[in-house]
Amino acid sequence: MEKHRITLPEVRYALFLAFFSGWMSYAALWQLFGTGGRLIAIGCGALLAGLLCAAPFFLSGYARSLPRAACLWLSSLFYCTVGINGNRTLEAYLAACILIAVVTLACLPAFRKIPLKELSGRGALLLVALSALLFFLYLSAVTVARYEAYWSPSFDFGIFVQSFYSMLHRGIPYTTLERGYDLSHFAVHFSPGLYLFLPIFALFPYPATVQILQAVVLAISAIPLYALCRRLSLSRWASLFFCGLLFLYPAMAGGSMYDFHENCLLTPFLLFTIYFAESRRPVPALLFGFLTLTVKEDAAVYIAFLALYWLFSGRFCRLGITCLALSVGWFFLACGYLNAQGLGIMDWRYSAVAEGDSLFGVILAVLHDPGRVLSVCLQSDRLLFLALMLLPLGFLPFFTKKVSRYILFGGLILVNLMPNWVYQYSVDFQYVYGSLALLFYLSALNFSDLPGHRVRRTLALLCCAFACIGASARIPGQWGAVNTCIVNREMLNAMDEAVALVPEEVSVSCTTFLAPHLAMRRECYDVSEKRKTDYVLIDLRSDEWESYSSYYRGLGYRCVSVTPGAIEVLTRLPEA
């Protein structure tokens, strides 16, 4: 019976933990159910507190401390994730992270005693595959639901659907949606890497295929990341942690929330490039480095900063020189092509820091006035982005005394923080996929240098908690499309039937959220262009587009079908 003895200080400590855990559970359930679920919240909180109060009298040793700490940590994390649910402000995110950080530090003595048995190679790979599968299923469900619920806009999903259709039938990604006339997408962004998707799209030529392909590409990123972590001498548990963190990372799913972009290829291609470089296999490293360059003209930035890091760190000098020359050469060729054959590079996005109207002005600005450039990068509207990119990594990118590693921040600074294009410093758009690959590389490098298991375990707990909190703020918006598909099924069926009335070979003008459903044709225009096409489709879910119905009726178009509050289909009368 001696093992059940408990001292007075332990009783006081148990009561404190029980009260705090019960309080966190009550607060979380009250946030979840509102005032209508107050009795449930009180009952569950009281039950948890009672069990934790009683546990020390029936348990002993390690079994006495762990359940209390686990309940405290999980109930606090539950409250933080529910409390921030849908709240995307910096203040709410920081408050939740501070709370869970304090609780984590309080629970560390118990967590450090958890024995972690060595994970087998097969078991680790199975867990990596399972986490990748879960991420793929979630992202596919959300993005396909966006399309099915008519949430996907012309920019940037409709233009890619039409681009793939044109590649399949004309060989070139022509699209009339992007600029209002028949134009190759390569005139806007030089992205030959899009052809890598074409064989699968040819087998399954549907808009939803494009969304699913993006989810597959991002899920595959776990393969090079796990291999890279193992190459850096991290344990299987630590390697598994980085893979899980990648899928919890707010920017991973968030970058796909405005539908498909070629940028999704950056994460796996960069991670494969880094892995093969770390494995001292220059040929495949160069191959994936080149594939990275084909994603977009600005992808050269990431390869250039990788090359500079390899050069200044003295790790892979020959590979660094080759990659630097390749990236600079490719960048100037791509920019030359866009300026000569396309619509020019988008250097106007750097007007907040650039001296003059060119990318060379950005370099001059960094040399002449680095303080002003830094002040732009740290403006208040960018701080939330920085928090969501760095806190889920536990600020690991800064945990190093090796100055050369800070070069890997270059992609984040140049692509995300310096532009004045608001979408580039948001985790809910596609511009994060290259930067996050370099940040994970930097984090894995620094994590491998950390001394002892205690520090690593503490950081792993904090990173997972911060990532869960950041992701939970975005889940309501992401999952809303799935809910719309279920709740508004009747209206969506009516919209599908109306879209099906339009023959495949005719020209169409439509509103932005209808465009992806009509883009599998040669001529599909945004209704704002006011083109005299064969058919016009108006989204009636918003008053924003009602005026176009009157405009086209005034031109003599007649109504073929109308579902009030949903969609209207107009067609042009044959000329006499």
Side-chain angles (χ1 to χ4, degrees):
M1 298 296 294
E2 186 177 353
K3 66 178 181 178
H4 295 305
R5 287 181 182 178
I6 183 170
T7 63
L8 185 59
E10 288 179 316
V11 170
R12 288 197 297 263
Y13 185 58
L15 289 172
F16 168 74
L17 290 182
F19 167 76
F20 200 92
S21 299
W23 174 33
M24 289 291 99
S25 298
Y26 158 76
L29 291 170
W30 188 84
Q31 289 280 340
L32 194 61
F33 297 116
T35 54
R38 180 171 294 177
L39 290 178
I40 297 175
I42 293 173
C44 291
L47 178 62
L48 178 61
L51 290 174
L52 290 179
C53 285
F57 295 97
F58 299 96
L59 302 173
S60 61
Y62 173 65
R64 176 185 290 174
S65 60
L66 180 60
R68 294 181 301 180
C71 286
L72 173 61
W73 193 80
L74 290 173
S75 61
S76 300
L77 181 61
F78 181 39
Y79 166 71
C80 289
T81 54
V82 171
I84 200 176
N85 199 279
N87 189 339
R88 300 190 178 195
T89 63
L90 176 62
E91 296 81 4
Y93 183 51
L94 291 179
C97 289
I98 290 170
L99 176 59
I100 198 63
V102 171
V103 172
T104 300
L105 293 175
C107 296
L108 276 181
F111 289 157
R112 284 171 178 166
K113 297 176 183 177
I114 300 176
L116 284 179
K117 296 181 180 179
E118 182 59 30
L119 192 63
S120 68
R122 183 176 297 179
L125 292 176
L126 182 62
L127 289 173
V128 170
L130 180 61
S131 62
L133 177 62
L134 291 174
F135 176 81
F136 162 75
L137 292 175
Y138 173 80
L139 190 59
S140 295
V142 168
T143 52
V144 171
R146 280 178 57 83
Y147 166 73
E148 295 290 343
Y150 291 83
W151 279 26
S152 298
S154 177
F155 284 87
D156 284 343
F157 190 46
I159 61 174
F160 283 107
V161 171
Q162 193 177 31
S163 293
F164 279 111
Y165 171 83
S166 296
M167 282 193 290
L168 188 60
H169 293 277
R170 303 167 67 186
I172 304 294
Y174 289 111
T175 169
T176 55
L177 282 167
E178 194 156 15
R179 292 294 185 269
Y181 57 92
D182 204 30
L183 177 76
S184 169
H185 177 65
F186 293 166
V188 180
H189 291 299
F190 189 60
S191 306
L194 284 174
Y195 285 101
L196 296 172
F197 292 104
L198 193 56
I200 304 299
F201 184 80
L203 291 174
F204 306 98
Y206 312 106
T209 302
V210 181
Q211 300 281 39
I212 294 171
L213 281 171
Q214 179 168 243
V216 170
V217 165
L218 291 171
I220 286 174
S221 301
I223 298 174
L225 181 60
Y226 180 83
L228 171 63
C229 291
R230 293 294 290 154
R231 188 67 191 177
L232 296 174
S233 301
L234 294 181
S235 68
R236 292 191 180 98
W237 280 114
S239 303
L240 183 61
F241 152 70
F242 272 103
C243 291
L245 185 63
L246 179 70
F247 294 133
L248 287 174
Y249 200 62
M252 270 294 277
S256 300
M257 285 306 106
Y258 278 83
D259 306 292
F260 176 86
H261 295 88
E262 60 267 89
N263 296 53
C264 66
L265 290 165
L266 290 172
T267 303
F269 283 175
L270 281 169
L271 289 174
F272 271 117
T273 302
I274 295 165
Y275 164 68
F276 285 119
E278 290 288 342
S279 302
R280 299 188 180 277
R281 297 162 67 183
V283 174
L286 285 171
L287 172 62
F288 277 98
F290 175 74
L291 288 174
T292 302
L293 295 175
T294 66
V295 173
K296 217 174 187 180
E297 65 276 2
D298 58 4
V301 168
Y302 305 110
I303 296 298
F305 280 114
L306 264 179
L308 288 171
Y309 164 65
W310 290 334
L311 275 172
F312 282 96
S313 64
R315 304 189 71 198
F316 317 114
C317 291
R318 290 183 179 178
L319 180 62
I321 292 171
T322 306
C323 284
L324 184 61
L326 183 64
S327 61
V328 171
W330 181 270
F331 179 74
F332 280 109
L333 283 173
C335 290
Y337 168 80
L338 288 172
N339 287 327
Q341 304 296 325
L343 303 182
I345 59 173
M346 299 180 181
D347 48 11
W348 53 267
R349 295 183 179 181
Y350 289 88
S351 60
V353 296
E355 297 181 5
D357 297 326
S358 69
L359 289 181
F360 184 67
V362 178
I363 300 173
L364 289 178
V366 173
L367 294 175
H368 293 168
D369 196 355
R372 182 169 66 90
V373 174
L374 185 62
S375 67
V376 170
C377 293
L378 296 178
Q379 286 176 355
S380 58
D381 56 354
R382 291 159 170 81
L383 293 181
L384 176 60
F385 171 75
L386 282 172
L388 288 166
M389 293 294 283
L390 296 175
L391 267 172
L393 293 171
F395 289 105
L396 269 168
F398 294 104
F399 283 34
T400 182
K401 296 180 181 179
K402 299 178 179 179
V403 179
S404 59
R405 291 186 182 177
Y406 288 97
I407 294 173
L408 294 172
F409 278 102
L412 180 74
I413 294 170
L414 188 59
V415 176
N416 301 111
L417 296 178
M418 288 175 62
N420 55 3
W421 187 240
V422 63
Y423 309 112
Q424 291 192 232
Y425 48 87
S426 170
V427 297
D428 299 309
F429 291 87
Q430 70 275 13
Y431 302 101
V432 293
Y433 286 127
S435 301
L436 75 84
L438 297 189
L439 287 177
F440 267 82
Y441 177 36
L442 182 52
S443 299
L445 283 170
N446 294 344
F447 194 82
S448 65
D449 293 338
L450 291 177
H453 296 291
R454 291 187 174 185
V455 176
R456 294 185 180 188
R457 192 171 292 189
T458 303
L459 275 172
L461 273 172
L462 288 173
C463 289
C464 289
F466 294 160
C468 287
I469 293 169
S472 68
R474 280 149 176 77
I475 287 176
Q478 294 172 2
W479 199 250
V482 178
N483 187 58
T484 298
C485 285
I486 298 171
V487 175
N488 297 332
R489 189 68 264 168
E490 185 176 345
M491 182 187 72
L492 296 178
N493 286 339
M495 295 180 75
D496 289 340
E497 291 171 4
V499 168
L501 294 174
V502 182
E504 293 183 3
E505 68 278 3
V506 301
S507 60
V508 175
S509 293
C510 59
T511 51
T512 183
F513 294 109
L514 301 179
H517 295 260
L518 294 156
M520 298 279 286
R521 65 188 67 245
R522 183 159 184 157
E523 289 188 79
C524 182
Y525 302 94
D526 190 276
V527 72
S528 62
E529 299 288 335
K530 295 184 176 180
R531 292 263 186 167
K532 293 183 178 180
T533 50
D534 297 321
Y535 279 78
V536 176
L537 284 84
I538 310 294
D539 190 342
L540 300 180
R541 293 175 299 174
S542 170
D543 296 337
E544 180 181 354
W545 299 293
E546 283 188 358
S547 61
Y548 291 108
S549 176
S550 302
Y551 171 78
Y552 278 100
R553 286 175 183 271
L555 294 179
Y557 281 69
R558 66 177 177 85
C559 179
V560 175
S561 170
V562 61
T563 303
I567 190 172
E568 181 179 17
V569 182
L570 303 169
T571 187
R572 181 168 55 179
L573 294 173
E575 296 181 2

